Amino acid sequence: MRLPKKVKTGATKSNKKVKQSPEMDVDAICDSDSDQERERATPRENQANAREETMSLLWVDKHMPLIERELAVHPRKISDVREWLQSAVSTDPLDTAMRNLHKSHRLLALTGKSGVGKTATIRMLAMELDVDVVEWVNPTHGYASDDSYSPSILSKFTEFVSSARKANTLVFTNESELDESAYPLTKTSKKLILIEDLPNLSHTATRTLFHAVLQSHVQSQSAVVYPIVLILSDTVASSSDHSDWRASSFESGLNLKNLVPEDVRTSSGFSRIHFNPIAPSILVKSLNRIIDQEFGVRKDAVLKKPTRQEIESVAHSCGGDIRNALNTLQFLALNRHTNSSRNISSQERSQRISQQSSSQRSVAKNDSISKSDVGNRNVNLIFYHALNKILIGKREDLRLILSSEFFCVGSFKHYAGLSTSEQCDQFPGSSESFSTNNDTNHDMHLPRHLSHHERKPLKSNPENVFEASHVDSDTFTAYLAQNYTSYFTDIEECVLAADAYCTADTLSGSWKNRSSMSVYSASIACRGTVFARQLPAPSQKFGGMNKPHLFTALKEKRETLDTLQESKTRWHKAYAKYLESEDGDSSKGNGNGVFRISHNHSSQAIILEVLPFASQIIAPTDTQLMNTLSFFGPRICKFTAMDENDCAVEISEEYEQIGKTRGSGGIHSATIMDEDAAIEDDIED
Amino acid sequence: MSLWVDRHRPTSLDRLDYHPDLTHQLKKMSNSSDFPHMLVYGPSGAGKKTRIMAVLKELYGPSVEKLKIDMRTFTTPSNRKIEINIVSSNYHMEITPRFGDNEIPVFSDVGSQDRLVIQELIKEVAQTQQVDSSAKRAFKVVILNEADSLSKDAQHALRRTMEKYMNNLRVILCTNSTSRIIGPIRSRCLLVRVAAPSADEITTVLTKVGIKEDFSIPHEFALKIAEKSNGNLRRALLMLESAKVKQMSFASQIPLTDWENYISETARAIVAEQTPKKLQEIRGRLYELLTHCIAPEIILKTLLFDIVKLVDVTIVPEIIRIAADYEQSMRQGTKPIFHLEAFVAKFMAIYKRFLFELMN
């Protein structure tokens, strides 16, 4: 392992971020971008001098790590990446030969949550190893041209990769004029291609092309191949796994699996290094270092130095995201100033700041969720915590008071989302809305006939809990509806909760008002759940939360429908052919094996009657078709793939194929029939 | 292979088995020089499409059965592509909606763009004159299946088109109920109601099919199927074939579809136990049904009537009322599972209370 170079001056030289715009003509965006790069690359000495001017600069950019010591990443990870990079760019002829022979070290994927130092590591190492970084930046001005947009961006991307693959091209000298022009381009032949800004991969054509580019890159035979580094931030699982079920046909979520095609992932040229969230201990160290640098030079009149305690609490709450931690600290320091006239202890003050900014409304003191600092990044935990909070619905252990969080309007099940009228008046914006309830209402009891609606006051405000969960109301409701049954012991409670979800759903039903109504529907779902609780929740360990089946079910259904649509056309075609060939002569028996359905049935009839019966009728003789049709056997869509024969296919061929599938699927179908038999037995019982 | 229900479908007016008056009228109409637009309606499995096809054959002769099926692509003004499957012969064209979301058939994926599709297609048919000099008729026929799924927009567009191209175009709309067809269209069409066949008529058809397939059906069994089929001949024939394939002794029970069995099983499970745990289990089953594209309304209805069969009469009215409530809220919402589950929960609560009172 090489020791980090003495960087101070060397770093600036080698740190040429050669930005290659996909467009040859340089536009404003590209300009500003490289400006930023320049600032980042500014040596530290200059920075210190120019502190006054760079007041507006984010600490994140200002303290960009330039040497390994400054990098808040686990040393082993750094050495992993360095090793890869070294062997990937090594100009040693032996290494090169080995590389080309095995086609190794072609593509590196860095994964991990955002803010764990993926980009910083690669940039730092590139600097250290004297490697040029060529980065792909999506052009942002393509929207003007309508249809040509995607193809042009595509071609630009291929162009970019292929041109970047070549040895130093004219493009570089051209670009370098923009860059630090003080020194000429060093003639290093070392270069890596950085792809962090991904093209629009939910567009199928783009994705195919992107895959093709990666494939050709990994398979490339050329003597000089520059490595590609892909940087991919994991998104939070809870919101990305069904990112948008409305845009169904797209592969949802952006993950390594749909970013890099299977064959590339298994090829020798591909490696993946996963970055874990930064451990709090490392984080605290780097944060302290940065804070010391920031405040060490002189007494800053404008900013107040955060206490060690605060730094530690930020480090623990940011979920291993250094970018977030730094931003939080800077923000806290900034806010401190505006509040400094007041004479409050620092701890309380920081709490006040965070509460005000994170949730606009002040909350009950014991609400641990909202107490979290500005921009708490530990989203997953918070989300499950919020769900748990709603589902358990802890109440104050005081006297019974008026059920303030919930009341019925009208006869059926239209709950007002907000609380008592008194609270409605104050809501939103009032800071004490919640605590005043205790003072004003605690003597009031509901009349006897309504006494079953009476509840103790809540410990935490459901709206605030929901807000802290960082998800939209649909997702939140779906999670509640998936999990509430295991939190209740009585069916009456379930009715109340289920009704609330229904109402929430009807409110957000039409997409036109979805955005404005979602506040209400979330509120109703949460309050409905909380109100439903009459008995204490069954003791349950934290974390027994299931993902809602709702979105996967929708997706599955849509897939089934698509397959049905396809198959329907095929069956109709077969029928038309049959009509023609036999001319409607019905006396002939099972002429051939092609299954067909006449076009005379409506789609509903096909789903509800024709296919289910057909599966019974065909089952004993034809495994393949049975599999295709049987609804409660295997999924329909999985099996139509085998049934892909067009009606034009010769009969013999079809039988051949049936034979094949029988060979492989024989056992499978046997179990299915057993299951069917079992179901029938049940029915007879 | 094809199913009996397709293989033994009567192809000409003369071969139709029931509704002789209607057949007579259709025949006379087809042979007269003037043929109106038609709106054929009636319950599922009554024989609407069979009659429409028979009328076409009467109009144009057997060559109308030379069908071709192709996919047409349309481009909307917003540059989206719409694909529509079309069944056509030299004399007619048949447009069927796609399976849409929530099992509602749609004529196009792109919301109300069906107006465009319908207009384009009909214009295209109408503007090409009949070239075949041997054709018996000067006009062509456009059949719109499941016409009630046409948007209001498309229906209004259709009204205009129907008038404009009356010379060389007739429209036959086929739908289960006329309630969602706008008045202007109804008034421009000859309404033809195809009623569901009676139990006797179904029995006759079943016996006939039996003879064609070389086996005899005991009369009682045929009657049982006829009862079970609720006047749906398609269902009756499918049941018969299924029973035959399963080598039933023709005395045992009538085969039902797997999803119906599944729902009645679910109903029994609901009646057996009323706990949140059971509710969770039932939710899994409801999801299973939904993913198999069984429309939520049908799930609710089937479940309701299966439950009603199992519980005491005194609580039936209340159960039916809550089912209606949840059906209504289901139509307003977007996630049917919530409403189905709420119905189950509510029923469980009611039934539990009922049992509790019974015991005290």
Coordinates of all heavy atoms in Angstrom, one line a residue, chain A residues 474 481-482 484-485 488 490 495 499 505-506 509 550 557 561 565 569 572 578 586 592 594 596 598-601 603-605 608-609 616-617 631 635, chain B residues 1 6-7 9 67 69 85 94 99-100 103 146 232 234 241-242 245 256 259 265 276 280 283 287 290 292 298 326 329 334-335 339 341 345 352:
Chain A
D474 N -50.3 7.8 1.5 CA -50.7 6.5 0.9 C -49.8 5.4 1.5 O -50.4 4.3 1.9 CB -50.5 6.5 -0.6 CG -51.8 6.9 -1.3 OD1 -52.7 7.2 -0.6 OD2 -51.8 6.8 -2.5
A481 N -52.5 -0.3 7.5 CA -53.5 -1.3 7.2 C -52.9 -2.7 7.1 O -53.6 -3.7 7.3 CB -54.2 -1.0 5.9
Q482 N -51.6 -2.8 6.8 CA -51.0 -4.1 6.7 C -50.8 -4.7 8.1 O -50.9 -5.9 8.4 CB -49.7 -4.0 6.0 CG -49.0 -5.3 5.8 CD -49.7 -6.3 4.9 OE1 -50.3 -5.9 3.9 NE2 -49.6 -7.6 5.1
Y484 N -52.1 -3.5 11.3 CA -52.9 -3.2 12.5 C -53.5 -4.4 13.1 O -53.6 -4.5 14.3 CB -54.0 -2.2 12.2 CG -55.2 -2.8 11.4 CD1 -56.4 -3.1 12.0 CD2 -55.1 -3.0 10.0 CE1 -57.4 -3.6 11.3 CE2 -56.1 -3.5 9.3 CZ -57.3 -3.8 10.0 OH -58.3 -4.3 9.3
T485 N -53.7 -5.5 12.3 CA -54.4 -6.6 12.9 C -53.6 -7.3 14.0 O -54.1 -7.9 14.9 CB -54.7 -7.7 11.8 OG1 -53.6 -7.7 10.9 CG2 -56.0 -7.3 11.1
F488 N -54.0 -5.5 17.5 CA -55.3 -5.4 18.2 C -55.8 -6.8 18.7 O -55.4 -7.8 18.0 CB -56.4 -4.8 17.3 CG -56.2 -3.4 17.1 CD1 -55.7 -2.9 15.9 CD2 -56.5 -2.4 18.1 CE1 -55.6 -1.5 15.6 CE2 -56.3 -1.1 17.9 CZ -55.8 -0.6 16.6
D490 N -59.1 -7.3 19.8 CA -60.6 -7.4 19.7 C -61.0 -7.0 18.3 O -60.5 -6.0 17.7 CB -61.3 -6.5 20.7 CG -62.8 -6.8 20.7 OD1 -63.1 -8.0 20.8 OD2 -63.6 -5.8 20.6
V495 N -62.6 -3.1 13.5 CA -63.6 -2.4 12.7 C -63.3 -0.9 12.6 O -63.3 -0.3 11.5 CB -65.0 -2.7 13.2 CG1 -66.0 -1.9 12.4 CG2 -65.3 -4.2 13.1
D499 N -62.3 0.9 9.2 CA -63.2 2.0 8.7 C -62.4 3.2 8.4 O -62.6 3.9 7.4 CB -64.3 2.3 9.7 CG -65.5 1.3 9.5 OD1 -65.4 0.5 8.5 OD2 -66.4 1.4 10.3
D505 N -59.0 6.2 2.2 CA -58.9 5.8 0.8 C -59.9 6.6 0.0 O -59.5 7.1 -1.1 CB -59.1 4.3 0.7 CG -59.0 3.9 -0.7 OD1 -58.2 4.4 -1.5 OD2 -59.8 3.0 -1.1
T506 N -61.1 6.7 0.5 CA -62.1 7.4 -0.3 C -61.7 8.9 -0.5 O -62.0 9.5 -1.5 CB -63.5 7.4 0.3 OG1 -63.4 7.5 1.7 CG2 -64.1 6.0 0.0
G509 N -59.2 9.4 -3.1 CA -59.6 8.6 -4.2 C -59.3 9.2 -5.6 O -58.7 8.7 -6.4
L550 N -50.0 -4.5 -0.6 CA -50.8 -3.8 -1.5 C -50.1 -3.5 -2.9 O -50.7 -3.8 -3.9 CB -51.2 -2.4 -0.9 CG -52.1 -1.5 -1.6 CD1 -53.5 -2.1 -1.7 CD2 -52.2 -0.2 -0.9
K557 N -51.2 -8.1 -10.3 CA -52.5 -8.1 -11.1 C -52.3 -7.5 -12.4 O -52.8 -8.0 -13.4 CB -53.5 -7.3 -10.3 CG -54.9 -7.5 -10.8 CD -55.9 -6.7 -10.1 CE -55.9 -5.3 -10.6 NZ -56.9 -4.5 -9.9
L561 N -53.0 -9.2 -16.0 CA -53.9 -8.6 -17.0 C -53.2 -8.5 -18.4 O -53.8 -8.8 -19.4 CB -54.4 -7.3 -16.6 CG -55.5 -7.3 -15.6 CD1 -55.9 -5.8 -15.2 CD2 -56.7 -7.9 -16.2
Q565 N -54.2 -10.3 -21.8 CA -54.5 -9.5 -23.0 C -53.8 -10.2 -24.1 O -54.4 -10.4 -25.2 CB -54.1 -8.1 -22.8 CG -54.5 -7.2 -23.9 CD -55.9 -6.9 -23.9 OE1 -56.5 -6.6 -22.9 NE2 -56.6 -7.0 -25.1
T569 N -55.5 -12.5 -27.4 CA -55.3 -12.3 -28.8 C -54.9 -13.6 -29.5 O -55.4 -13.9 -30.6 CB -54.2 -11.2 -29.1 OG1 -54.4 -10.2 -28.1 CG2 -54.3 -10.7 -30.5
H572 N -57.8 -15.9 -29.8 CA -58.8 -15.5 -30.8 C -58.2 -15.8 -32.2 O -59.0 -16.3 -33.0 CB -59.0 -14.0 -30.7 CG -59.8 -13.6 -29.5 ND1 -60.4 -14.4 -28.7 CD2 -60.0 -12.3 -29.0 CE1 -61.0 -13.8 -27.7 NE2 -60.8 -12.5 -27.9
Y578 N -59.3 -21.6 -36.9 CA -60.1 -22.8 -36.8 C -61.4 -22.6 -37.6 O -61.8 -23.5 -38.4 CB -60.4 -23.1 -35.4 CG -61.6 -23.9 -35.0 CD1 -61.5 -25.3 -35.1 CD2 -62.8 -23.3 -34.6 CE1 -62.6 -26.1 -34.8 CE2 -63.9 -24.1 -34.2 CZ -63.8 -25.4 -34.3 OH -64.9 -26.2 -34.0
S586 N -68.8 -28.3 -36.8 CA -68.6 -28.6 -35.4 C -68.5 -30.1 -35.1 O -68.2 -30.5 -34.0 CB -69.7 -28.0 -34.6 OG -70.9 -28.5 -35.1
N592 N -57.0 -30.2 -33.4 CA -55.6 -30.2 -33.0 C -55.4 -29.6 -31.6 O -56.4 -29.2 -31.0 CB -54.8 -29.3 -34.0 CG -55.4 -28.0 -34.2 OD1 -55.8 -27.3 -33.2 ND2 -55.5 -27.5 -35.4
V594 N -54.2 -26.8 -30.4 CA -54.2 -25.4 -30.1 C -55.4 -25.0 -29.4 O -56.5 -25.2 -29.8 CB -54.0 -24.6 -31.4 CG1 -53.9 -23.1 -31.1 CG2 -52.9 -25.1 -32.2
R596 N -58.2 -22.5 -28.1 CA -58.7 -21.3 -28.7 C -60.0 -20.9 -28.0 O -60.8 -21.8 -27.4 CB -59.0 -21.5 -30.2 CG -59.7 -22.7 -30.5 CD -59.8 -23.0 -31.9 NE -60.3 -24.4 -32.1 CZ -59.5 -25.4 -32.5 NH1 -58.3 -25.1 -33.0 NH2 -60.0 -26.6 -32.6
S598 N -63.3 -18.2 -28.7 CA -63.9 -17.3 -29.7 C -63.9 -15.9 -29.1 O -63.8 -15.7 -27.9 CB -65.3 -17.8 -30.0 OG -66.2 -17.2 -29.1
H599 N -63.9 -15.0 -30.0 CA -63.9 -13.6 -29.7 C -65.3 -13.1 -29.1 O -65.5 -12.0 -28.9 CB -63.5 -12.8 -30.9 CG -64.4 -13.0 -32.0 ND1 -64.3 -14.1 -32.8 CD2 -65.5 -12.3 -32.4 CE1 -65.3 -14.0 -33.8 NE2 -66.0 -12.9 -33.5
N600 N -66.2 -14.1 -29.0 CA -67.5 -13.7 -28.6 C -67.7 -13.5 -27.1 O -68.7 -13.0 -26.7 CB -68.5 -14.7 -29.1 CG -68.6 -14.7 -30.6 OD1 -68.1 -13.8 -31.2 ND2 -69.3 -15.7 -31.1
H601 N -66.7 -13.8 -26.4 CA -66.9 -13.7 -24.9 C -66.3 -12.3 -24.5 O -65.3 -11.9 -25.0 CB -66.1 -14.7 -24.2 CG -66.5 -16.1 -24.6 ND1 -67.7 -16.7 -24.3 CD2 -65.8 -17.0 -25.3 CE1 -67.7 -17.9 -24.8 NE2 -66.6 -18.1 -25.5
S603 N -64.5 -9.7 -21.8 CA -63.3 -9.9 -21.0 C -63.7 -10.4 -19.6 O -63.0 -11.3 -19.1 CB -62.5 -8.6 -20.9 OG -63.2 -7.5 -21.3
Q604 N -64.7 -9.9 -19.1 CA -65.2 -10.3 -17.7 C -65.5 -11.8 -17.8 O -65.1 -12.6 -16.9 CB -66.4 -9.5 -17.3 CG -66.1 -8.2 -16.6 CD -65.5 -8.4 -15.3 OE1 -65.9 -9.2 -14.5 NE2 -64.4 -7.8 -15.0
A605 N -66.2 -12.2 -18.8 CA -66.7 -13.6 -18.9 C -65.5 -14.5 -19.1 O -65.4 -15.6 -18.5 CB -67.6 -13.8 -20.1
L608 N -63.9 -14.7 -15.5 CA -64.7 -15.3 -14.5 C -65.2 -16.7 -14.8 O -65.4 -17.5 -13.9 CB -65.9 -14.4 -14.1 CG -65.5 -13.0 -13.5 CD1 -66.7 -12.2 -13.3 CD2 -64.7 -13.2 -12.2
E609 N -65.4 -16.9 -16.1 CA -66.1 -18.2 -16.4 C -65.2 -19.0 -17.3 O -64.9 -20.2 -17.0 CB -67.4 -17.9 -17.1 CG -68.4 -17.3 -16.1 CD -69.6 -16.7 -16.8 OE1 -69.8 -16.9 -18.0 OE2 -70.4 -15.9 -16.1
Q616 N -60.4 -26.6 -15.7 CA -60.9 -27.9 -15.3 C -61.0 -28.8 -16.4 O -60.8 -30.0 -16.3 CB -62.2 -27.7 -14.6 CG -62.1 -26.9 -13.3 CD -63.5 -26.7 -12.7 OE1 -64.4 -27.5 -13.0 NE2 -63.7 -25.7 -11.9
I617 N -61.4 -28.3 -17.5 CA -61.8 -29.2 -18.7 C -60.5 -29.7 -19.3 O -60.4 -30.9 -19.6 CB -62.6 -28.4 -19.7 CG1 -63.9 -28.1 -19.1 CG2 -62.7 -29.1 -21.0 CD1 -64.7 -27.0 -19.9
F631 N -56.1 -20.7 -12.4 CA -55.9 -19.5 -11.6 C -55.3 -19.7 -10.3 O -54.4 -19.0 -9.9 CB -57.2 -18.7 -11.5 CG -57.4 -17.7 -12.5 CD1 -57.0 -18.0 -13.8 CD2 -58.1 -16.6 -12.3 CE1 -57.1 -17.1 -14.8 CE2 -58.2 -15.6 -13.3 CZ -57.8 -15.9 -14.5
R635 N -49.2 -19.1 -11.0 CA -49.5 -17.8 -11.6 C -49.6 -18.0 -13.1 O -48.8 -18.6 -13.8 CB -48.4 -16.8 -11.4 CG -48.5 -15.9 -10.2 CD -49.6 -14.9 -10.3 NE -50.5 -15.1 -9.3 CZ -50.2 -15.0 -8.0 NH1 -49.0 -14.7 -7.6 NH2 -51.1 -15.2 -7.1
Chain B
M1 N -57.6 -27.0 -29.2 CA -58.9 -27.5 -29.0 C -59.8 -26.3 -28.6 O -59.4 -25.3 -28.1 CB -58.9 -28.5 -27.9 CG -58.4 -28.0 -26.6 SD -59.0 -28.9 -25.2 CE -60.8 -28.5 -25.3
D6 N -67.8 -22.9 -27.5 CA -67.5 -22.3 -28.8 C -67.9 -23.2 -30.0 O -68.4 -22.8 -31.0 CB -66.0 -21.9 -28.9 CG -65.7 -20.7 -28.0 OD1 -66.6 -19.9 -27.8 OD2 -64.5 -20.7 -27.6
R7 N -67.6 -24.5 -29.7 CA -67.8 -25.4 -30.9 C -69.3 -25.6 -31.2 O -69.6 -25.7 -32.4 CB -67.2 -26.7 -30.5 CG -66.9 -27.5 -31.7 CD -66.3 -28.9 -31.4 NE -65.3 -28.9 -30.3 CZ -65.1 -30.0 -29.6 NH1 -65.7 -31.1 -29.8 NH2 -64.2 -29.9 -28.6
R9 N -71.6 -23.4 -30.8 CA -72.4 -22.2 -30.9 C -73.1 -22.1 -32.3 O -72.5 -22.4 -33.3 CB -71.3 -21.0 -30.9 CG -71.9 -19.6 -30.9 CD -70.9 -18.6 -31.1 NE -69.9 -18.6 -30.1 CZ -70.1 -18.0 -28.9 NH1 -71.2 -17.4 -28.7 NH2 -69.2 -18.1 -27.9
L67 N -62.4 -14.4 -40.7 CA -62.0 -13.4 -39.8 C -60.5 -13.1 -39.9 O -59.7 -14.0 -40.1 CB -62.4 -13.7 -38.4 CG -63.8 -13.9 -38.1 CD1 -64.0 -14.4 -36.7 CD2 -64.6 -12.6 -38.3
I69 N -57.6 -11.0 -37.5 CA -57.4 -10.3 -36.2 C -56.1 -9.6 -36.2 O -55.0 -10.2 -36.5 CB -57.4 -11.4 -35.0 CG1 -58.7 -12.0 -34.9 CG2 -57.0 -10.7 -33.7 CD1 -58.8 -13.2 -34.1
N85 N -57.0 -4.1 -30.4 CA -57.2 -5.4 -31.2 C -58.5 -5.3 -32.0 O -59.5 -4.9 -31.4 CB -57.2 -6.6 -30.3 CG -55.9 -7.0 -29.9 OD1 -55.0 -7.1 -30.7 ND2 -55.7 -7.3 -28.6
E94 N -65.0 -5.5 -35.7 CA -65.4 -5.6 -34.3 C -64.4 -5.0 -33.4 O -63.2 -5.4 -33.5 CB -65.6 -7.1 -34.0 CG -66.3 -7.4 -32.8 CD -66.5 -8.9 -32.6 OE1 -66.6 -9.6 -33.6 OE2 -66.5 -9.3 -31.4
F99 N -58.5 -5.1 -21.3 CA -58.6 -5.2 -19.8 C -58.0 -3.9 -19.3 O -56.8 -3.6 -19.6 CB -57.8 -6.4 -19.3 CG -58.3 -7.7 -19.7 CD1 -57.6 -8.5 -20.5 CD2 -59.6 -8.1 -19.4 CE1 -58.0 -9.8 -20.9 CE2 -60.1 -9.3 -19.8 CZ -59.3 -10.2 -20.5
G100 N -58.7 -3.2 -18.5 CA -58.1 -2.0 -17.9 C -57.7 -2.2 -16.5 O -57.8 -3.4 -16.0
E103 N -59.9 -4.2 -13.6 CA -60.7 -5.1 -14.4 C -61.8 -4.4 -15.2 O -62.6 -5.0 -15.8 CB -61.4 -6.2 -13.6 CG -60.5 -7.1 -12.9 CD -60.0 -6.6 -11.6 OE1 -60.8 -5.8 -10.9 OE2 -58.9 -6.9 -11.2
E146 N -69.0 -4.5 -25.4 CA -69.0 -3.9 -24.1 C -69.1 -2.4 -24.2 O -68.2 -1.6 -23.7 CB -67.7 -4.3 -23.3 CG -67.7 -5.8 -23.1 CD -66.3 -6.3 -22.7 OE1 -65.8 -5.9 -21.6 OE2 -65.7 -7.0 -23.4
N232 N -77.3 -18.4 -17.3 CA -76.1 -18.1 -18.1 C -75.8 -19.3 -18.9 O -75.2 -20.3 -18.4 CB -75.0 -17.6 -17.2 CG -73.8 -17.2 -17.9 OD1 -73.6 -17.6 -19.1 ND2 -72.9 -16.4 -17.3
R234 N -73.6 -19.8 -21.2 CA -72.1 -20.1 -21.3 C -71.6 -20.9 -20.1 O -71.0 -21.9 -20.3 CB -71.4 -18.7 -21.4 CG -69.9 -18.9 -21.4 CD -69.2 -17.6 -21.3 NE -69.6 -16.6 -22.2 CZ -70.0 -15.4 -21.9 NH1 -70.1 -15.1 -20.6 NH2 -70.4 -14.6 -22.8
E241 N -69.4 -29.4 -19.6 CA -68.2 -30.0 -20.2 C -67.2 -30.4 -19.1 O -66.6 -31.4 -19.1 CB -67.5 -29.0 -21.1 CG -66.4 -29.6 -21.9 CD -65.8 -28.7 -22.9 OE1 -66.2 -27.5 -23.1 OE2 -64.8 -29.1 -23.6
S242 N -67.1 -29.5 -18.1 CA -66.2 -29.8 -17.0 C -66.6 -31.0 -16.2 O -65.8 -31.9 -15.8 CB -66.2 -28.6 -16.0 OG -65.7 -28.9 -14.8
V245 N -65.7 -34.0 -18.3 CA -64.3 -34.3 -18.3 C -63.9 -35.0 -17.0 O -63.1 -35.9 -17.0 CB -63.5 -33.0 -18.5 CG1 -62.1 -33.2 -18.2 CG2 -63.7 -32.6 -20.0
L256 N -67.8 -26.1 -9.8 CA -67.8 -24.6 -9.8 C -66.4 -24.1 -10.2 O -65.5 -24.9 -10.2 CB -68.1 -24.1 -8.4 CG -69.6 -24.2 -8.0 CD1 -69.8 -23.7 -6.5 CD2 -70.5 -23.4 -8.9
W259 N -62.3 -20.0 -8.2 CA -62.4 -18.8 -7.4 C -63.7 -18.8 -6.6 O -63.7 -18.3 -5.5 CB -62.2 -17.5 -8.2 CG -63.2 -17.3 -9.3 CD1 -63.2 -17.7 -10.6 CD2 -64.5 -16.6 -9.2 NE1 -64.3 -17.3 -11.3 CE2 -65.1 -16.6 -10.4 CE3 -65.1 -15.9 -8.1 CZ2 -66.3 -16.0 -10.7 CZ3 -66.4 -15.4 -8.4 CH2 -67.0 -15.4 -9.6
E265 N -65.0 -21.0 0.6 CA -64.1 -21.4 1.7 C -63.8 -20.2 2.6 O -63.8 -20.4 3.9 CB -62.8 -21.8 1.0 CG -62.3 -23.1 1.5 CD -61.0 -23.4 0.7 OE1 -61.2 -23.7 -0.5 OE2 -60.0 -23.3 1.2
P276 N -58.8 -10.8 15.2 CA -57.9 -10.0 14.3 C -57.0 -10.9 13.6 O -56.6 -10.6 12.4 CB -57.2 -9.1 15.3 CG -58.1 -8.9 16.5 CD -58.8 -10.2 16.6
Q280 N -56.5 -11.1 9.5 CA -55.3 -11.0 8.7 C -55.1 -12.1 7.7 O -54.7 -11.9 6.6 CB -54.1 -11.0 9.7 CG -52.8 -10.6 9.2 CD -51.8 -10.4 10.2 OE1 -52.0 -10.7 11.4 NE2 -50.6 -9.9 9.9
R283 N -57.3 -11.4 4.9 CA -56.8 -10.4 4.0 C -55.9 -11.0 2.9 O -55.9 -10.7 1.8 CB -56.0 -9.4 4.8 CG -55.5 -8.2 3.9 CD -54.4 -7.5 4.6 NE -54.8 -7.0 5.9 CZ -53.9 -6.9 6.9 NH1 -52.7 -7.2 6.8 NH2 -54.3 -6.4 8.1
Y287 N -56.3 -10.7 -1.1 CA -55.3 -10.3 -2.0 C -55.1 -11.3 -3.1 O -55.0 -11.0 -4.3 CB -54.0 -10.2 -1.2 CG -53.7 -8.8 -0.7 CD1 -53.3 -8.6 0.6 CD2 -53.8 -7.7 -1.5 CE1 -53.0 -7.3 1.1 CE2 -53.6 -6.4 -1.1 CZ -53.2 -6.3 0.3 OH -52.9 -5.0 0.7
L290 N -57.7 -10.8 -5.6 CA -57.5 -9.6 -6.4 C -56.4 -9.8 -7.4 O -56.5 -9.3 -8.5 CB -57.2 -8.4 -5.4 CG -58.4 -7.9 -4.7 CD1 -57.9 -6.9 -3.7 CD2 -59.4 -7.3 -5.6
H292 N -55.6 -12.3 -8.9 CA -56.1 -13.1 -10.0 C -57.2 -12.4 -10.8 O -58.0 -13.1 -11.5 CB -56.6 -14.5 -9.5 CG -55.5 -15.4 -9.1 ND1 -55.1 -15.6 -7.8 CD2 -54.6 -16.1 -9.9 CE1 -54.1 -16.4 -7.8 NE2 -53.8 -16.7 -9.0
I298 N -67.2 -8.2 -7.5 CA -67.7 -9.5 -7.6 C -67.2 -10.3 -6.4 O -68.0 -11.1 -5.8 CB -67.2 -10.2 -8.9 CG1 -67.9 -9.6 -10.1 CG2 -67.3 -11.7 -8.9 CD1 -67.4 -9.9 -11.4
Y326 N -70.1 -0.6 2.0 CA -68.7 -0.8 1.6 C -68.5 -0.8 0.1 O -67.5 -0.3 -0.4 CB -68.1 -2.0 2.3 CG -67.8 -1.7 3.8 CD1 -68.5 -2.4 4.8 CD2 -66.9 -0.8 4.2 CE1 -68.3 -2.1 6.1 CE2 -66.6 -0.5 5.5 CZ -67.4 -1.2 6.5 OH -67.2 -0.9 7.8
S329 N -68.4 2.8 -0.8 CA -67.1 3.5 -0.5 C -66.0 2.9 -1.3 O -65.0 3.6 -1.7 CB -66.8 3.4 1.0 OG -66.4 2.1 1.3
T334 N -59.7 4.0 -4.1 CA -58.8 3.4 -5.1 C -58.3 2.1 -4.7 O -57.7 1.4 -5.5 CB -57.7 4.3 -5.5 OG1 -57.1 4.8 -4.3 CG2 -58.1 5.5 -6.3
K335 N -58.4 1.8 -3.4 CA -57.7 0.5 -3.0 C -58.8 -0.4 -2.4 O -59.1 -0.4 -1.2 CB -56.7 0.9 -1.9 CG -55.7 1.8 -2.3 CD -54.6 2.0 -1.3 CE -53.7 3.2 -1.7 NZ -54.4 4.5 -1.6
H339 N -61.5 -1.8 1.7 CA -63.0 -1.9 1.8 C -63.5 -3.3 2.0 O -64.4 -3.6 2.8 CB -63.7 -1.2 0.7 CG -63.1 0.2 0.4 ND1 -63.7 1.3 1.0 CD2 -62.1 0.6 -0.3 CE1 -63.0 2.4 0.7 NE2 -62.0 2.0 -0.1
E341 N -61.7 -5.6 3.3 CA -61.3 -6.1 4.6 C -62.2 -5.4 5.7 O -62.6 -6.1 6.7 CB -59.8 -5.6 4.8 CG -59.3 -6.2 6.1 CD -57.8 -5.8 6.3 OE1 -57.1 -5.6 5.2 OE2 -57.4 -5.7 7.4
A345 N -64.3 -7.3 8.6 CA -64.1 -6.9 10.0 C -65.5 -6.6 10.6 O -65.8 -7.1 11.7 CB -63.2 -5.8 10.1
K352 N -70.1 -11.7 15.9 CA -69.6 -12.0 17.2 C -70.6 -11.6 18.3 O -70.9 -12.3 19.2 CB -68.2 -11.4 17.4 CG -67.4 -12.0 18.6 CD -66.1 -11.3 18.7 CE -65.4 -11.8 19.9 NZ -64.2 -11.0 20.2

